[in-house]
Amino acid sequence: MTATLIDGKAIAARMRADVRADAEALAAAGWVPKLISISVGDVAAAELYVRNQHRQAEAAGVAFESRNYPETISLEQLTGVIAGLNADPRVNGIIIQRPLPGHIPVKALQKAVHPLKDVEGMHPASIGNIVYNDLTLGPCTAVAAVEILKTLPLKMEGLDVCVIGHSEIVGKPIAFLMMGLGATVTVCHHMTRQVALHSRAADAVFVAVGKPGLVTGAMLKPGAALIDIGINRTADGRVVGDADFDSCAQVAGWITPVPGGVGPVTVAILMKNAVLATRMQMDHYRAAFAAAV
Amino acid sequence: MTATLIDGKAIAARMRADVRADAEALAAAGWVPKLISISVGDVAAAELYVRNQHRQAEAAGVAFESRNYPETISLEQLTGVIAGLNADPRVNGIIIQRPLPGHIPVKALQKAVHPLKDVEGMHPASIGNIVYNDLTLGPCTAVAAVEILKTLPLKMEGLDVCVIGHSEIVGKPIAFLMMGLGATVTVCHHMTRQVALHSRAADAVFVAVGKPGLVTGAMLKPGAALIDIGINRTADGRVVGDADFDSCAQVAGWITPVPGGVGPVTVAILMKNAVLATRMQMDHYRAAFAAAV
């Protein structure tokens, strides 16, 4: 192995310390950041994630409350719940846990969350702001992946970047974020004729597809950074990314492990968004109430 | 010259005929589409554009009213004007003409326009919807450029596309629109090390930078489509695009002229957005008033 392993847990721990300081400053001003997690139906599917978020929230000085609604709840009732949370001054951020039952379209819920409480960065207005290079609340996984790349000694301006996977919440936002930093970005996906042609020309490769072994060492430029966003469970129960780790580690200059790479940083970004959202709500409140009339 | 010249005026004329039919159907239901153009200060700078929009609106069955405000108007007053237009049932779309005086930030005005009246497709929520592949009101120039490409006998899925220029309102939206169609997209800009490396590999090149002669024939793959979005005025008063037309026309398979390429289609898309916006407002109104209580 020639690649340097990127330590996502260490990056996340540094971020959490910063977030905690911000959260304490907000709490001192009467604004304890608070997140509400909403899950629907079978709790087991999301439970591991929710418990982990809860633990990280506590470590970051962010209050966390988990709510589960029955499988049979209607979309109208759920958007009503969200409208209530939007209007509740004790709530600063709303997390919609996936998976949701088939009759609840996730986008409809994400749009129902007020943009100032959209800690997952999923509202169209949040995504649009990234395009405008006006990052406030960005989608956590995409922001985490980019923040990890920024810890490496690479100049972002002019960097040739290949993003494999063009989902709305990961691949595309990574592309805009990297464009905003001055990189030259190519986005590949399942319709791309020859992914290797693009990935081999890149100084940094992001992969977020959900297919183990999709990226091999032969697809990388020697010394490139590989940020693996995939989370896949193998038949024998291991968790692996989208890269064939062994062959990639022989060629890449830096590589994220799975688990322990993008995952922990994603949760740290969620907490960072929680304090950002709380600060924006505080500013909004102060602007609205500053004048006596 | 080997390239086929793309006739933007003919494409625009066909679009306008469709828009006119839609506008007449809306008018018959009590919803005559109406645009308000807002310009600030010196009228001369935008006058040519405004007059052209007015003429095209008439041809498309869309009502058009131009308002000019004095150079000295404050941002607060202007956003107040826009709030009034948002609330006015006789107004279906608001156009903010550029340039604006230095003390009026264009983004603040674009954000003030209600997303359902955002016929220029500039609101962050409109841009975010493109990312989500949920195109309703898209930024006119970007949509026009992509619509032109779609008239050619090329399969969009898997097409290798190079976008030169990464502005929020042209380059980036073209990139998302093309990704949404299944193309593999690379976005180049002033920080890209070697633009030619990317453009020569592309089946279609979009250029929107504002530099005459930026793209030459040597930078193109033989037979590629070249969509030139630049509008530049030369020292001797001619209007030219960003491509060196003569050398590009020797190599490209299709090429847009400037003027007469993307320009007329952009105005046709503005009118298409006007009827789309009117239809969305009608649906919104009907949903709100359908129930008697």
Side-chain angles (χ1 to χ4, degrees):
Chain A
M1 164 160 165
T2 59
T4 301
L5 205 62
I6 298 172
D7 186 349
K9 287 184 187 167
I11 297 171
R14 284 197 297 273
M15 282 184 178
R16 254 192 322 269
D18 289 346
V19 169
R20 190 174 180 96
D22 285 350
E24 284 166 359
L26 284 164
W31 293 86
V32 179
K34 180 165 183 181
L35 294 174
I36 302 284
S37 155
I38 293 180
S39 63
V40 181
D42 182 19
V43 206
E47 203 192 356
L48 203 75
Y49 285 103
V50 177
R51 232 188 307 148
N52 184 33
Q53 287 173 353
H54 198 150
R55 206 167 40 230
Q56 303 301 327
E58 278 180 0
V62 171
F64 191 96
E65 185 186 324
S66 174
R67 297 193 188 171
N68 181 258
Y69 294 89
E71 177 92 34
T72 50
I73 193 171
S74 69
L75 175 60
E76 290 69 23
Q77 284 174 302
L78 260 181
T79 48
V81 165
I82 291 172
L85 295 173
N86 284 341
D88 188 334
R90 294 159 297 187
V91 174
N92 305 108
I94 302 165
I95 306 168
I96 315 281
Q97 305 292 349
R98 271 81 62 186
L100 291 168
H103 68 286
I104 306 285
V106 62
K107 272 191 206 177
L109 291 194
Q110 286 162 346
K111 277 195 189 184
V113 174
H114 191 283
L116 287 180
K117 299 195 175 185
D118 177 31
V119 287
E120 294 189 284
M122 299 291 197
H123 193 282
S126 304
I127 301 276
N129 279 326
I130 297 186
V131 179
Y132 272 121
N133 230 343
D134 232 7
L135 180 61
T136 45
L137 301 171
C140 302
T141 307
V143 174
V146 170
E147 287 298 317
I148 288 174
L149 188 71
K150 282 165 69 182
T151 66
L152 306 182
L154 293 170
K155 195 179 165 213
M156 299 292 132
E157 291 193 357
L159 199 77
D160 281 313
V161 170
C162 178
V163 178
I164 307 174
H166 70 336
S167 72
E168 286 88 3
I169 57 169
V170 185
K172 286 183 188 173
I174 288 174
F176 324 140
L177 289 168
M178 290 307 305
M179 284 178 210
L181 294 171
T184 302
V185 181
T186 301
V187 180
C188 297
H189 42 72
H190 64 285
M191 285 170 279
T192 297
R193 291 177 208 145
Q194 282 188 278
V195 174
L197 207 72
H198 301 283
S199 61
R200 262 203 295 265
D203 306 306
V205 173
F206 294 89
V207 57
V209 172
K211 279 197 183 158
L214 182 74
V215 175
T216 61
M219 292 169 67
L220 298 177
K221 174 156 99 175
L226 176 59
I227 312 292
D228 187 349
I229 299 152
I231 299 179
N232 309 289
R233 199 168 286 275
T234 60
D236 59 352
R238 284 178 309 129
V239 171
V240 298
D242 288 349
D244 174 47
F245 187 84
D246 293 339
S247 69
C248 288
Q250 295 300 325
V251 181
W254 296 272
I255 188 168
T256 55
V258 178
V262 177
V265 182
T266 299
V267 186
I269 294 292
L270 179 67
M271 300 311 149
K272 193 175 174 181
N273 278 352
V275 301
L276 270 173
T278 306
R279 187 170 294 280
M280 290 193 292
Q281 289 159 47
M282 180 180 79
D283 292 345
H284 198 71
Y285 179 92
R286 288 180 174 176
F289 285 92
V293 182
Chain B
M1 166 160 163
T2 59
T4 301
L5 205 63
I6 297 172
D7 186 348
K9 286 184 189 168
I11 296 171
R14 286 197 296 274
M15 283 184 179
R16 256 195 318 272
D18 290 346
V19 169
R20 193 178 178 92
D22 286 348
E24 283 166 358
L26 284 164
W31 293 86
V32 179
K34 179 164 184 183
L35 294 174
I36 302 285
S37 154
I38 293 180
S39 63
V40 180
D42 181 21
V43 208
E47 203 191 356
L48 204 75
Y49 285 102
V50 177
R51 232 187 308 147
N52 184 34
Q53 287 173 354
H54 198 151
R55 205 168 42 232
Q56 303 301 326
E58 277 178 0
V62 171
F64 191 96
E65 185 186 323
S66 173
R67 296 192 188 172
N68 181 259
Y69 294 90
E71 176 92 35
T72 51
I73 193 170
S74 69
L75 174 61
E76 291 68 24
Q77 285 175 302
L78 260 181
T79 48
V81 165
I82 292 172
L85 295 173
N86 283 341
D88 188 334
R90 293 159 297 186
V91 174
N92 305 108
I94 301 165
I95 306 168
I96 315 280
Q97 304 291 351
R98 270 83 60 188
L100 291 167
H103 68 285
I104 306 285
V106 62
K107 273 190 202 175
L109 291 193
Q110 286 162 346
K111 278 195 187 183
V113 173
H114 192 284
L116 288 179
K117 298 195 176 184
D118 178 31
V119 286
E120 293 188 286
M122 298 292 197
H123 193 282
S126 305
I127 301 277
N129 279 326
I130 297 185
V131 179
Y132 272 120
N133 231 342
D134 231 9
L135 181 59
T136 44
L137 302 172
C140 302
T141 307
V143 173
V146 169
E147 286 299 318
I148 287 174
L149 188 71
K150 283 164 69 181
T151 65
L152 305 183
L154 292 170
K155 193 178 168 213
M156 298 292 131
E157 290 192 0
L159 199 75
D160 282 311
V161 170
C162 178
V163 179
I164 306 175
H166 70 335
S167 72
E168 287 87 4
I169 56 170
V170 185
K172 286 183 187 173
I174 288 175
F176 325 140
L177 290 167
M178 290 307 306
M179 285 179 209
L181 294 171
T184 302
V185 181
T186 300
V187 180
C188 298
H189 43 72
H190 64 285
M191 286 170 280
T192 297
R193 291 179 207 143
Q194 282 188 276
V195 174
L197 207 73
H198 302 283
S199 61
R200 262 203 297 262
D203 306 306
V205 173
F206 293 90
V207 57
V209 172
K211 280 198 185 160
L214 183 73
V215 176
T216 62
M219 293 169 64
L220 297 176
K221 174 155 102 175
L226 176 59
I227 311 292
D228 188 348
I229 300 152
I231 299 178
N232 309 287
R233 197 167 287 276
T234 61
D236 59 349
R238 286 178 308 130
V239 170
V240 299
D242 288 349
D244 173 51
F245 187 85
D246 293 339
S247 69
C248 289
Q250 295 301 324
V251 181
W254 296 271
I255 189 168
T256 54
V258 177
V262 177
V265 182
T266 298
V267 185
I269 294 292
L270 179 67
M271 299 312 149
K272 193 174 174 183
N273 278 351
V275 301
L276 270 172
T278 305
R279 186 170 295 280
M280 290 194 292
Q281 289 159 45
M282 179 179 81
D283 291 345
H284 198 72
Y285 179 94
R286 287 179 174 176
F289 285 92
V293 182

